[in-house]
Amino acid sequence: MASRLGTQLGEWQAGGGVAQALSDRIRMLLLDGRITAGERLPSERALAAELGRSRATVARAYELLEAAGYAERVHGSGTRAALPAQRVQRPAAPGGDVIDLTIASVGSAPGLHAATVRALDRLAGLLGSPGYSLDGLPELRARIAARYAARGLPTDPEQIVVTSGAMHALSIVLAALGERGRTAVVEQPTFPHAMEALRRTGHRLLPTPVTPEGWDSAHLVETIRAQRPALAYLIADFHNPTGATMPELERARVAAVARAAGTTLVVDETCAELDIDRAWTPRPFAAHGPAVLIGSMAKIAWGGLRIGWIRASREQVERMLAVRPSIDLGTPLLEQCIAVELHDDMAALLAHTSRRLRIGRAAVADGLATHLPEVAMPAVPGGLCAWVDLGGPWSTSLSLAARDRGLLLPPGPRFSASGVLDRYARIPITWEPDVTAAALARLGDAWRALRSGERSRHERLDAAAAV
Ligand SMILES: Cc1ncc(COP(=O)(O)O)c(C=O)c1O
């Protein structure tokens, strides 16, 4: 029977020594969280048989892993994956600089400093209060509610809970509404930390496909109808990482099916306003049927401003406020005051973000055309990244080769609930053009090394087949 590791390895041989390639691949799976420290690896004999390699090759790969601290041999109980004592994740780049494309976030908004100064006066007016803010400052909740109304979704401030970012919002939602031992639908690909949060709260994940062209609506609807999951976590606008937006009719259909199946829709709107040139603006999901919405200031103001929110029914809000004190006792008041000030000119904030993303998108398109001409730039009407199709299952190997060149790039399977998608890579459009240019030059170098290794392997195989 195929082992979990054997399945996850996929197309692991990317040229160079076989044992080295195998050990590199296992190391990547571990660094990526796709196998966990402490997890038992298949026996040398079993893995060798599964991969059609000699036992000595697998033994050598395990030795290499062990020497680097990524495996431990325990007498009598085989080999287990491990993480080196000090985190040695960061690669050594020539000159010591590392470009980290695992992060997709624009820098701080220009008005942030001035808003922070103004927020100090607002905070002064609150200093006489106890300072705990479980549901959020009324003036901030009112502004968030007004923005929903402006987007076509009438909202009462009582339906808003202010949180410390979208991930924190998701934790509160899952603590209040999730059901350990039940299933949750997630898109494939999706935002990896959301999958981790769902798994941590005991959900089994049911992936449903999405591409830059959109959702497989029939699959999504059928999965909800047949499996009746407790939750479905969706990113309906400028989906991370594909950039797709779900049409309104599809939202209505999904909402109706979810309501009938007793599935709570949790729709992450962190990217919802990152528009560059999408030709249409749908109303928020909850305008089409019951859905809990999660939002954030992270991508429109700054990742360092830990402000997010939840929009839900009053009854759901009550449940969330009941559970929240076991998680935290409220979002910092200074951050909330800054968010209130930023709401004064949200249009300027969004326009600025849009300009930055447009420039970032052009830089990625240029970099791909220059350094990876075989890889097409997908349509990116907005959002944080380009989800590029490499044309073959090379993403993990490319990430490894990029790492050796001082570039951190998460491989496609990082965005998959089932460890697939090795033909895709997520390239953020959020970095300054000079950073993107340098990153894509390194990626191009890794790509050429990988492809020439691939070619020489095929030549070797062809030559062997010819004799
Ligand atoms: C879809 C999605 N949700 C949530 C987050 C995290 O948001 P926050 O920083 O507000 O926790 C991100 C960040 O990239 C994201 O893309």
Side-chain angles (χ1 to χ4, degrees), residues 80-246:
R80 289 182 186 275
L83 280 173
Q86 330 91 326
R87 275 169 65 84
V88 290
Q89 280 222 25
R90 301 271 141 178
D97 68 321
V98 170
I99 303 177
D100 189 351
L101 293 193
T102 62
I103 299 169
S105 193
V106 283
S108 66
L112 188 57
H113 181 266
T116 304
V117 173
R118 291 199 306 277
L120 290 173
D121 284 341
R122 189 176 283 279
L123 184 73
L126 298 168
L127 292 178
S129 74
Y132 289 104
S133 171
L134 206 55
D135 55 355
L137 286 179
E139 52 270 51
L140 181 53
R141 286 189 287 115
R143 282 167 173 79
I144 293 169
R147 287 184 62 230
Y148 276 121
R151 291 174 56 208
L153 178 62
T155 299
D156 190 305
E158 300 291 302
Q159 290 178 264
I160 303 293
V161 178
V162 176
T163 66
S164 306
M167 277 312 296
H168 178 233
L170 182 58
S171 296
I172 294 176
V173 169
L174 293 179
L177 309 177
E179 288 182 56
R180 186 165 278 280
R182 294 275 310 273
T183 49
V185 169
V186 291
E187 288 134 341
Q188 176 149 285
T190 189
F191 181 54
H193 297 314
M195 287 194 279
E196 288 154 13
L198 284 158
R199 286 203 173 105
R200 187 170 43 74
T201 47
H203 294 88
R204 195 160 56 78
L205 305 188
L206 298 173
T208 189
V210 53
T211 68
E213 283 71 52
W215 284 252
D216 180 339
S217 182
H219 186 279
L220 173 56
V221 161
E222 214 24 66
T223 305
I224 295 177
R225 198 176 270 146
Q227 308 276 342
R228 299 182 166 270
L231 286 168
Y233 167 83
L234 303 175
I235 309 170
D237 292 85
F238 302 122
H239 174 264
N240 181 1
T242 65
T245 292
M246 188 184 284

Side-chain angles (χ1 to χ4, degrees), residues 349-374:
L349 208 58
L350 294 177
H352 171 79
T353 307
S354 179
R355 273 195 303 278
R356 295 270 298 259
L357 292 172
R358 187 185 289 271
I359 293 167
R361 178 180 67 178
V364 170
D366 278 358
L368 282 177
T370 310
H371 300 291
L372 291 92
E374 302 93 329

Side-chain angles (χ1 to χ4, degrees), residues 25 64 167 214 228 284 311 320 400 423 441:
R25 190 71 170 205
L64 288 168
M167 277 312 296
R228 299 182 166 270
R311 182 201 183 275
M320 290 174 204
L400 277 167
R423 60 182 287 151

Side-chain angles (χ1 to χ4, degrees), residues 415-431:
F415 302 88
S416 150
S418 53
V420 295
L421 304 177
D422 204 27
R423 60 182 287 151
Y424 295 94
R426 186 191 82 156
I427 303 185
I429 60 166
T430 50
W431 289 92

